[in-house]
Amino acid sequence: MADLLPQCLIHKILCLHSFKRAAQLSILSKTWLQAWLTIPNLSYSLGYLEHNMKKVMDNIMERYRDGKIPIEKLDLSYSVYSNEVFPLFNKWLDIALQNGVKDLVFRVPSHLTSYPLPMLTILATKSLRELVLTGCDLYCVSLSSGVVNCYSLRKLSLTQVGLGDNTLQILLNSCPFIDSLILDYCSWLKKIELLNNLPKIKSVFIRKSGTQLVKIQAPSLEHLSYFTGGEEFAMFDIDAPNLVSLEYKGFKFPATFMDANLQWSCYPTRFVLDSTSETIASFMDVLMHMMSSSHSTSHGSNKPLHRQLKEVKADKYDWENQRWHCDPVELGSERMAIRDLKDKFCFLLYWSCN
């Protein structure tokens, strides 16, 4: 019965499993074996006790190279501090790029950052649509010496990646059609700036540490998640007039959203705030003041807001049951009822144009 399935469907089934599990399923029949031999998603993890897997993985990659078998996704991770594997990484990456890889995932523990990732070679490919890097060190990578444009890239995810401000800007400018950007604990950055250099950007996730300055000017941006640790004030400046949802997590809330007399430069309809009870209560006061005001001014001027906040609905998160409360919270009644040290609320904001 399993042989009746077309190979493209078997590929989809195998891609739902780990590479090891997919290999086990190949014993079902010759059809499934042939499908596994040409599976488009490859996932390898090289650990401390898996040195013998290097030859197996190398043989598989050579088979894909010699047979020119298309590769949709290559997921490569390692936890071995050894320069001996670096030539293999280069070889496997070259094969994947030559075979038209679309999604490339490379993970390494942040304390093992000596591998010189061939970024120029990666960016030069015309098929790449998603690049996910974890723990890599891009400080030793010179992008300015031979900048290439990767117009196909749509998603860029950097987690605990070592890179400087200039490298980040070169990287973003080289991939102008990114629509999803993740910067997760890239602590070496002093500032994160998106200044109209990503005209197609739709979603941005930033989790930062320290006192990084974040400045965003992105008319196309629709979803923003911004997490900050510690008790430092969030240095946060955003101009995104088409923003739909904003999620913020941190102890100190940006002053931009805490002063009802400042002109908001974005008008999200969904605002998730995960912070201290005191901060959330103060934010509720701001929202109530904005609703009761006929107009607001910006930085001491008499310039009215482009939009007026007309209505707010708030849902409180139930930490015990890991879900949102079904009944909306009234701002005025909840203001004095907050008792927990930490809370999470989802505010639905209804705006009208002035």
Side-chain angles (χ1 to χ4, degrees), residues 109-120:
S110 57
H111 63 282
L112 304 179
T113 57
S114 58
Y115 172 59
L117 193 70
M119 281 299 297
L120 290 178

Side-chain angles (χ1 to χ4, degrees), residues 120-351:
L120 290 178
T121 303
I122 292 174
L123 294 178
T125 184
K126 298 183 182 300
S127 61
L128 194 64
R129 65 188 179 189
E130 181 174 324
L131 179 60
V132 178
L133 302 178
T134 299
C136 301
D137 184 1
L138 300 187
Y139 257 121
C140 59
V141 177
S142 177
L143 294 178
S144 58
S145 61
V147 178
V148 294
N149 291 319
C150 187
Y151 294 115
S152 61
L153 194 66
R154 295 297 180 266
K155 177 181 178 180
L156 176 63
S157 176
L158 306 177
T159 299
Q160 294 182 331
V161 170
L163 76 167
D165 300 341
N166 187 54
T167 302
L168 176 63
Q169 290 305 310
I170 294 175
L171 186 56
L172 295 180
N173 292 335
S174 300
C175 309
F177 297 133
I178 292 174
D179 58 37
S180 177
L181 175 64
I182 297 175
L183 297 173
D184 194 357
Y185 281 129
C186 297
S187 57
W188 291 356
L189 291 171
K190 301 299 182 182
K191 58 183 178 180
I192 299 172
E193 292 184 332
L194 307 179
L195 304 179
N196 296 313
N197 51 347
L198 298 177
K200 303 292 185 180
I201 192 71
K202 297 292 184 183
S203 174
V204 173
F205 175 94
I206 298 174
R207 190 191 336 248
K208 76 182 193 72
S209 60
T211 56
Q212 292 168 331
L213 170 65
V214 176
K215 188 173 184 179
I216 298 176
Q217 294 176 3
S220 63
L221 186 62
E222 296 179 357
H223 308 284
L224 173 62
S225 298
Y226 182 84
F227 297 176
T228 179
E231 298 188 5
E232 70 276 358
F233 282 95
M235 296 187 291
F236 184 51
D237 184 9
I238 176 174
D239 185 358
N242 294 307
L243 194 68
V244 175
S245 67
L246 192 155
E247 183 174 4
Y248 180 87
K249 180 178 181 180
F251 291 101
K252 302 292 185 178
F253 202 50
T256 305
F257 297 104
M258 292 304 289
D259 189 344
N261 292 320
L262 290 179
Q263 179 178 356
W264 283 24
S265 53
C266 63
Y267 306 95
T269 56
R270 185 176 184 271
F271 201 136
V272 177
L273 178 55
D274 185 345
S275 187
T276 64
S277 298
E278 180 181 358
T279 297
I280 293 177
S282 298
F283 183 64
M284 288 181 175
D285 288 342
V286 170
L287 294 177
M288 294 178 65
H289 178 74
M290 292 177 69
M291 285 191 294
S292 63
S293 301
S294 58
H295 65 274
S296 298
T297 59
S298 175
H299 298 285
S301 70
N302 293 321
K303 182 180 179 181
L305 284 170
H306 295 293
R307 300 182 189 180
Q308 176 68 38
L309 184 61
K310 292 298 184 181
E311 184 182 356
V312 177
K313 294 181 180 179
D315 294 323
K316 186 176 182 180
Y317 191 72
D318 184 349
W319 294 100
E320 182 177 354
N321 297 308
Q322 297 294 298
R323 63 179 179 84
W324 294 102
H325 281 293
C326 297
D327 298 326
V329 174
E330 295 213 9
L331 299 192
S333 61
E334 185 66 18
R335 175 63 176 85
M336 300 304 297
I338 297 178
R339 292 292 182 269
D340 299 328
L341 294 178
K342 185 175 181 293
D343 268 313
K344 183 177 181 179
F345 277 79
C346 177
F347 299 96
L348 301 180
L349 310 178
Y350 299 86
W351 306 86

